[in-house]
Amino acid sequence: MVETQVVSEVSIFGQIAEFQHEQVVYCHDHETGLKAIIGIHNTVLGPALGGTRMWHYASDAEALHDVLRLSRGMTYKAAISGLNLGGGKAVIIGDAATMKTEALLRKFGRFVQNLNGKYITAEDVNMTTRDMEFIRMETKHVSGLPESMGGSGDPSPVTAYGTYMGMKAAAKRAFGSDSLEGKRIAVQGMGHVGTYLLEYLQKEGAQLLVSDYYEDRALAAANRFGAQLVGLNDIYDQDVDIYSPCALGATLNSDTIPRLKCQVVAGCANNQLADENIHGPELVSRGIVYAPDFLINAGGLINVYSEVVGGNREAALIQTEKIYDITTQVLAKAEQEGSHPQAAATRQAEERIAAIGKVKSTY
Ligand code: NAD
């Protein structure tokens, strides 16, 4: 679930400077065993919003690297989606199965509260709705709560809708039409988002291929959507029009890209490019249209944002639909600039932050 890489002996401030963070908060509590890091990357557009994940990191340096990378990603996701949110993320260091207690979570909630709304937390890997309820007992700066608690509920259907919109925009670029009827689409990962995405694709009459780490999930999806079941590693070799990574990150790498026969890659997984500077250009050189991951999977964040600003699911879906137009713009811009879509999307996000930063420069 957590993609980390070997962290070199760079100083803490060296790493923070490299990622250009505003603030990094180390939280420690002897009684509960809490060790957490909150990364606040950029708050030019608004409060830093991003989930808290709990993970047994091999070292503190690895945890720092993860929180810095993830929180920076949230900045770009919010910025390109037109949200008035900054980027943040938190990691709690430890084994969720044995260390997670009510007291530890509530202590963490108090650290979030101390930031006075500069950071708003939400659910992420190894955190449940129940855990968020405990954090909520100590701070109001929590989002993504269940609908029964007045929150915006499961973000996955909205993420799937945005991914679908981004896929259609990329299809238009590659095939000249955004219709997915008859298109052969391989969806990797039959989880929350993948399954909702299949509903849209089936409705449009796409021919579906599916795979999942858990065979029963893959089989259930194949039966439900009339899809062809594909082996875990075989998915990259299929004769398809579109590959949709909806499981883990880094599935676009030097091993898989040469095997792809598709003309479009569009999925909801985070950090799909193993190395964006290598694999972004490589997809372009192979004539594959890549819909940037942080752009087309922003529906979930848009849904959570609606909770922060007092909107509703309908408003979130309307905003999410705009992912189609933004993807269209980004793909055109990448081609004009002779760059690749991920780089063009990142630049568009940075430009918005810079422009709005100037707007805010007077009282
Ligand atoms: P999930 O955990 O519900 O589903 C992931 C699925 O992928 C699981 O069924 C798992 O068994 C499967 N899987 C894992 N490794 C696989 C492999 N090698 N091959 C095939 N299947 C594999 O997660 P989700 O909520 O559906 O999210 C999917 C992806 O989208 C993740 O990368 C997540 O970070 C990202 N994402 C999710 C949301 C959201 O709203 N849930 C928002 C933005 C991004």
Side-chain angles (χ1 to χ4, degrees), residues 325-353:
D325 291 337
I326 304 171
T327 307
T328 303
Q329 273 170 25
V330 164
L331 294 176
K333 206 165 159 187
E335 198 170 300
Q336 275 160 21
E337 292 171 348
S339 67
H340 60 92
Q342 191 84 353
T346 303
R347 204 158 27 250
Q348 186 159 317
E350 285 171 344
E351 282 166 8
R352 177 163 179 255
I353 294 167

Side-chain angles (χ1 to χ4, degrees), residues 1 77 155-156 159 188-193 211-214 217 232 246-248 268-270 297:
M1 274 283 190
K77 191 180 297 214
S156 307
T159 303
Q188 180 183 43
M190 300 296 98
H192 291 98
V193 185
S211 83
D212 194 280
Y213 183 76
Y214 295 105
R217 273 190 207 178
L232 273 191
C246 295
L248 303 184
C268 69
N270 279 311
N297 73 13

Side-chain angles (χ1 to χ4, degrees), residues 2-4 53 57 62-70 91:
V2 179
E3 302 115 32
T4 51
R53 69 173 49 174
Y57 292 99
E62 195 179 274
L64 175 65
H65 188 265
D66 206 31
V67 79
L68 293 178
R69 188 181 60 87
L70 292 166
V91 295

